[in-house]
Amino acid sequence: MSEVKSFRKPYNPPVKKLTWWLENPFYIYYMVREGTAVLALLAVLEIVFGIFMLAKCQLAANVSLEDVKPLVWYLQNFLGNPVIIVLNVIILVSQLFHAVTWFSLMPKAVRVFMNKNSTELLPEYVTKLALYAALVGATVVIIAVAFLTK
């Protein structure tokens, strides 16, 4: 095994300040998009907390209000809190922004060919339309299940 010494000196530009990303609009857009992951984490923690409160309920054949007291507290006092409502609206807007930016990125990241014998790619607008149609379809199904079930 040969021991070759490398004289390569990689250039590592110094980071002058913590707000380096505010100097370029591309980096601002990127950091805002990546920051939506924190808000998605908050939404997931809220759902997990709701599942935990449901698990604390004593569910049986004859359920009284006292048996589901933790879930009622979660729905009325926690989710009904104005701070949580505002936070959920911010989370919704951030996730819609994340979806729009992801849908615009998807045709560049995933190459979909027209058929197996050609190298011609599917137009970007077709992929975007399919993603938006899936988003709208999933939203309609979730709303229908939420409002039509008893």
Side-chain angles (χ1 to χ4, degrees):
M1 186 169 190
S2 69
E3 304 260 339
V4 178
K5 184 175 181 181
S6 173
F7 293 100
R8 180 179 168 268
K9 294 181 181 177
Y11 176 67
N12 295 319
V15 178
K16 295 176 184 161
K17 52 188 172 183
L18 293 176
T19 57
W20 59 268
W21 56 276
L22 292 173
E23 297 171 3
N24 188 337
F26 175 79
Y27 293 142
I28 293 172
Y29 186 72
Y30 176 79
M31 293 298 277
V32 168
R33 183 181 181 285
E34 293 301 311
T36 60
V38 175
L39 295 172
L41 174 67
L42 291 177
V44 168
L45 290 175
E46 181 180 310
I47 292 169
V48 168
F49 182 55
I51 293 170
F52 175 73
M53 295 309 268
L54 177 63
K56 286 184 67 173
C57 295
Q58 302 294 328
L59 300 178
N62 297 326
V63 179
S64 68
L65 186 59
E66 194 64 32
D67 295 334
V68 292
K69 201 170 185 178
L71 186 62
V72 171
W73 175 87
Y74 172 75
L75 294 173
Q76 289 181 345
N77 296 339
F78 183 74
L79 291 181
N81 188 332
V83 174
I84 299 299
I85 292 171
V86 169
L87 184 63
N88 283 334
V89 169
I90 292 170
I91 289 171
L92 175 65
V93 170
S94 75
Q95 295 311 300
L96 288 174
F97 171 75
H98 188 84
V100 168
T101 58
W102 180 253
F103 291 170
S104 66
L105 174 71
M106 185 61 88
K108 296 171 184 68
V110 177
R111 302 178 67 201
V112 181
F113 296 102
M114 294 290 274
N115 60 38
K116 64 180 180 179
N117 298 325
S118 171
T119 59
E120 186 179 359
L121 294 174
L122 198 65
E124 285 189 13
Y125 74 90
V126 174
T127 305
K128 288 180 186 178
L129 280 174
L131 290 168
Y132 281 112
L135 176 67
V136 169
T139 303
V140 167
V141 167
I142 290 169
I143 290 173
V145 167
F147 286 109
L148 297 177
T149 56
K150 292 184 179 185

